[in-house]
Amino acid sequence: MEFLVDSNVLLDVLTDDPTWQAWSGDQLADCAERGSLVINPIIYAEISIGFRRIEELEEALPVHTFRRAPLPWEAGFLAGKAFLSYRRNRGTRRTPLPDFYIGAHAAVAGFTLVTRDAGRYRTYFPTLPLLAPPG
């Protein structure tokens, strides 16, 4: 089983978020025991903002723990369609296209997405398996 780990879950652990660190840390540990943790270039870029040097980022997201998956072209198409639907439903510009690309990548690749932002993914990728907090 492969789990695409959304940047919000990684940031919870990396920043020791007082509200979400425990939940996110538990999910990462459980997923690592059950399968592979996966990130993509978008998630990597979102996490990189908190680091001054690439070496620090590589240490925080080691390749022996997080498999790097390329972004499939099909995911780009699906992300664009989901984003268009979002905009047509009067979605705000607050939700950027990269978030849809993460959901589309998980859907196309057959990953389970580990995220705290389940609402959008459930709406625009209804068949995507999610690990998310209840609610």
Side-chain angles (χ1 to χ4, degrees), residues 14 22-23 26 29 51-52 63 74 77-78 88 92 95 103-104 114-115 130-132 135:
L14 294 171
W23 182 88
D26 289 347
F51 294 86
R52 289 184 319 115
V63 294
E74 298 83 0
F77 183 83
L78 181 57
R88 285 184 175 157
T92 65
T95 302
V114 185
T115 185
L130 296 175
L131 282 179

mmCIF file of all heavy atoms in Angstrom, residues 14 22-23 26 29 51-52 63 74 77-78 88 92 95 103-104 114-115 130-132 135:
data_model
loop_
_atom_site.group_PDB
_atom_site.id
_atom_site.type_symbol
_atom_site.label_atom_id
_atom_site.label_comp_id
_atom_site.label_asym_id
_atom_site.label_seq_id
_atom_site.Cartn_x
_atom_site.Cartn_y
_atom_site.Cartn_z
ATOM 1 N N LEU A 14 6.848 18.434 11.419
ATOM 2 C CA LEU A 14 8.099 19.200 11.324
ATOM 3 C C LEU A 14 8.090 20.462 12.171
ATOM 4 O O LEU A 14 9.136 20.903 12.646
ATOM 5 C CB LEU A 14 8.401 19.549 9.864
ATOM 6 C CG LEU A 14 8.717 18.358 8.959
ATOM 7 C CD1 LEU A 14 8.775 18.793 7.502
ATOM 8 C CD2 LEU A 14 10.009 17.681 9.388
ATOM 9 N N ALA A 22 0.377 15.277 17.154
ATOM 10 C CA ALA A 22 0.149 13.903 17.621
ATOM 11 C C ALA A 22 -0.631 13.104 16.579
ATOM 12 O O ALA A 22 -0.240 11.978 16.231
ATOM 13 C CB ALA A 22 -0.587 13.897 18.958
ATOM 14 N N TRP A 23 -1.721 13.667 16.062
ATOM 15 C CA TRP A 23 -2.508 12.949 15.059
ATOM 16 C C TRP A 23 -1.667 12.666 13.813
ATOM 17 O O TRP A 23 -1.619 11.539 13.332
ATOM 18 C CB TRP A 23 -3.771 13.737 14.679
ATOM 19 C CG TRP A 23 -4.613 12.992 13.697
ATOM 20 C CD1 TRP A 23 -5.588 12.078 13.995
ATOM 21 C CD2 TRP A 23 -4.527 13.038 12.264
ATOM 22 N NE1 TRP A 23 -6.120 11.568 12.820
ATOM 23 C CE2 TRP A 23 -5.487 12.138 11.752
ATOM 24 C CE3 TRP A 23 -3.733 13.747 11.368
ATOM 25 C CZ2 TRP A 23 -5.682 11.932 10.380
ATOM 26 C CZ3 TRP A 23 -3.913 13.550 9.999
ATOM 27 C CH2 TRP A 23 -4.875 12.645 9.520
ATOM 28 N N ASP A 26 1.097 10.085 14.445
ATOM 29 C CA ASP A 26 0.533 8.736 14.535
ATOM 30 C C ASP A 26 0.189 8.189 13.149
ATOM 31 O O ASP A 26 0.426 7.013 12.859
ATOM 32 C CB ASP A 26 -0.720 8.726 15.411
ATOM 33 C CG ASP A 26 -0.416 8.918 16.884
ATOM 34 O OD1 ASP A 26 0.773 8.826 17.284
ATOM 35 O OD2 ASP A 26 -1.383 9.178 17.650
ATOM 36 N N ALA A 29 3.424 7.194 11.287
ATOM 37 C CA ALA A 29 3.983 5.951 11.825
ATOM 38 C C ALA A 29 3.158 4.749 11.383
ATOM 39 O O ALA A 29 3.715 3.731 10.952
ATOM 40 C CB ALA A 29 4.052 6.027 13.350
ATOM 41 N N PHE A 51 12.698 25.793 5.010
ATOM 42 C CA PHE A 51 14.109 25.427 5.145
ATOM 43 C C PHE A 51 14.992 26.397 4.357
ATOM 44 O O PHE A 51 14.623 26.837 3.275
ATOM 45 C CB PHE A 51 14.336 23.991 4.638
ATOM 46 C CG PHE A 51 13.647 22.972 5.487
ATOM 47 C CD1 PHE A 51 12.323 22.627 5.262
ATOM 48 C CD2 PHE A 51 14.314 22.367 6.545
ATOM 49 C CE1 PHE A 51 11.672 21.702 6.054
ATOM 50 C CE2 PHE A 51 13.671 21.436 7.345
ATOM 51 C CZ PHE A 51 12.342 21.105 7.098
ATOM 52 N N ARG A 52 16.151 26.703 4.919
ATOM 53 C CA ARG A 52 17.083 27.606 4.240
ATOM 54 C C ARG A 52 17.895 26.880 3.176
ATOM 55 O O ARG A 52 18.220 27.451 2.149
ATOM 56 C CB ARG A 52 18.044 28.260 5.242
ATOM 57 C CG ARG A 52 17.387 29.285 6.145
ATOM 58 C CD ARG A 52 18.370 29.999 7.067
ATOM 59 N NE ARG A 52 19.381 29.125 7.645
ATOM 60 C CZ ARG A 52 20.697 29.210 7.386
ATOM 61 N NH1 ARG A 52 21.167 30.137 6.589
ATOM 62 N NH2 ARG A 52 21.538 28.366 7.952
ATOM 63 N N VAL A 63 15.105 10.145 1.718
ATOM 64 C CA VAL A 63 14.623 9.287 0.626
ATOM 65 C C VAL A 63 14.367 7.852 1.089
ATOM 66 O O VAL A 63 13.560 7.159 0.477
ATOM 67 C CB VAL A 63 15.576 9.303 -0.589
ATOM 68 C CG1 VAL A 63 15.604 10.673 -1.223
ATOM 69 C CG2 VAL A 63 16.948 8.844 -0.221
ATOM 70 N N GLU A 74 -1.473 12.492 -16.676
ATOM 71 C CA GLU A 74 -2.905 12.289 -16.478
ATOM 72 C C GLU A 74 -3.402 13.032 -15.241
ATOM 73 O O GLU A 74 -4.530 13.514 -15.213
ATOM 74 C CB GLU A 74 -3.227 10.793 -16.338
ATOM 75 C CG GLU A 74 -2.898 9.967 -17.555
ATOM 76 C CD GLU A 74 -1.437 9.528 -17.636
ATOM 77 O OE1 GLU A 74 -0.649 9.861 -16.728
ATOM 78 O OE2 GLU A 74 -1.086 8.855 -18.612
ATOM 79 N N PHE A 77 -4.136 16.651 -16.106
ATOM 80 C CA PHE A 77 -5.435 16.809 -16.751
ATOM 81 C C PHE A 77 -6.557 16.753 -15.720
ATOM 82 O O PHE A 77 -7.440 17.623 -15.688
ATOM 83 C CB PHE A 77 -5.626 15.715 -17.815
ATOM 84 C CG PHE A 77 -6.914 15.856 -18.567
ATOM 85 C CD1 PHE A 77 -7.011 16.721 -19.642
ATOM 86 C CD2 PHE A 77 -8.025 15.117 -18.204
ATOM 87 C CE1 PHE A 77 -8.204 16.859 -20.341
ATOM 88 C CE2 PHE A 77 -9.223 15.247 -18.890
ATOM 89 C CZ PHE A 77 -9.316 16.120 -19.966
ATOM 90 N N LEU A 78 -6.524 15.742 -14.848
ATOM 91 C CA LEU A 78 -7.552 15.592 -13.830
ATOM 92 C C LEU A 78 -7.556 16.781 -12.870
ATOM 93 O O LEU A 78 -8.623 17.277 -12.486
ATOM 94 C CB LEU A 78 -7.355 14.279 -13.064
ATOM 95 C CG LEU A 78 -8.381 13.954 -11.977
ATOM 96 C CD1 LEU A 78 -9.801 13.922 -12.525
ATOM 97 C CD2 LEU A 78 -8.022 12.623 -11.317
ATOM 98 N N ARG A 88 -16.130 26.881 -11.039
ATOM 99 C CA ARG A 88 -17.524 27.006 -11.487
ATOM 100 C C ARG A 88 -18.489 26.941 -10.316
ATOM 101 O O ARG A 88 -19.592 27.478 -10.386
ATOM 102 C CB ARG A 88 -17.855 25.923 -12.505
ATOM 103 C CG ARG A 88 -17.245 26.212 -13.852
ATOM 104 C CD ARG A 88 -17.652 25.182 -14.864
ATOM 105 N NE ARG A 88 -17.143 25.555 -16.175
ATOM 106 C CZ ARG A 88 -16.936 24.708 -17.154
ATOM 107 N NH1 ARG A 88 -17.210 23.419 -16.992
ATOM 108 N NH2 ARG A 88 -16.458 25.124 -18.311
ATOM 109 N N THR A 92 -13.208 30.069 -4.145
ATOM 110 C CA THR A 92 -12.370 31.260 -4.044
ATOM 111 C C THR A 92 -10.976 30.967 -4.575
ATOM 112 O O THR A 92 -10.578 29.829 -4.737
ATOM 113 C CB THR A 92 -12.240 31.706 -2.569
ATOM 114 O OG1 THR A 92 -11.536 30.682 -1.864
ATOM 115 C CG2 THR A 92 -13.599 31.936 -1.943
ATOM 116 N N THR A 95 -7.912 28.572 -2.625
ATOM 117 C CA THR A 95 -7.471 27.204 -2.851
ATOM 118 C C THR A 95 -6.712 27.149 -4.167
ATOM 119 O O THR A 95 -7.313 27.283 -5.230
ATOM 120 C CB THR A 95 -8.669 26.243 -2.886
ATOM 121 O OG1 THR A 95 -9.368 26.352 -1.656
ATOM 122 C CG2 THR A 95 -8.212 24.816 -3.096
ATOM 123 N N GLY A 103 -4.368 15.931 -5.054
ATOM 124 C CA GLY A 103 -5.483 14.986 -5.062
ATOM 125 C C GLY A 103 -5.545 14.169 -6.338
ATOM 126 O O GLY A 103 -5.775 12.957 -6.310
ATOM 127 N N ALA A 104 -5.314 14.827 -7.472
ATOM 128 C CA ALA A 104 -5.345 14.131 -8.756
ATOM 129 C C ALA A 104 -4.215 13.110 -8.850
ATOM 130 O O ALA A 104 -4.413 12.001 -9.356
ATOM 131 C CB ALA A 104 -5.252 15.142 -9.895
ATOM 132 N N VAL A 114 -3.061 10.972 2.705
ATOM 133 C CA VAL A 114 -3.062 11.289 4.129
ATOM 134 C C VAL A 114 -3.084 12.809 4.231
ATOM 135 O O VAL A 114 -2.141 13.482 3.799
ATOM 136 C CB VAL A 114 -1.811 10.729 4.841
ATOM 137 C CG1 VAL A 114 -1.906 10.978 6.340
ATOM 138 C CG2 VAL A 114 -1.634 9.251 4.544
ATOM 139 N N THR A 115 -4.170 13.359 4.771
ATOM 140 C CA THR A 115 -4.361 14.807 4.783
ATOM 141 C C THR A 115 -5.245 15.227 5.944
ATOM 142 O O THR A 115 -6.005 14.426 6.479
ATOM 143 C CB THR A 115 -5.001 15.289 3.458
ATOM 144 O OG1 THR A 115 -5.066 16.720 3.445
ATOM 145 C CG2 THR A 115 -6.387 14.699 3.251
ATOM 146 N N LEU A 130 -8.984 8.226 1.539
ATOM 147 C CA LEU A 130 -8.383 9.240 2.400
ATOM 148 C C LEU A 130 -8.156 8.708 3.808
ATOM 149 O O LEU A 130 -8.953 7.931 4.317
ATOM 150 C CB LEU A 130 -9.300 10.454 2.522
ATOM 151 C CG LEU A 130 -9.610 11.269 1.289
ATOM 152 C CD1 LEU A 130 -10.639 12.345 1.626
ATOM 153 C CD2 LEU A 130 -8.348 11.896 0.733
ATOM 154 N N LEU A 131 -7.068 9.176 4.405
ATOM 155 C CA LEU A 131 -6.862 9.052 5.848
ATOM 156 C C LEU A 131 -6.890 10.489 6.350
ATOM 157 O O LEU A 131 -6.023 11.284 6.014
ATOM 158 C CB LEU A 131 -5.511 8.428 6.172
ATOM 159 C CG LEU A 131 -5.400 6.922 6.016
ATOM 160 C CD1 LEU A 131 -3.997 6.462 6.355
ATOM 161 C CD2 LEU A 131 -6.401 6.220 6.918
ATOM 162 N N ALA A 132 -7.909 10.798 7.124
ATOM 163 C CA ALA A 132 -8.104 12.176 7.587
ATOM 164 C C ALA A 132 -8.756 12.145 8.960
ATOM 165 O O ALA A 132 -9.392 11.148 9.319
ATOM 166 C CB ALA A 132 -8.989 12.935 6.598
ATOM 167 N N GLY A 135 -14.647 14.051 10.998
ATOM 168 C CA GLY A 135 -15.340 15.342 10.985
ATOM 169 C C GLY A 135 -15.552 15.864 9.691
ATOM 170 O O GLY A 135 -15.649 16.185 8.739
#
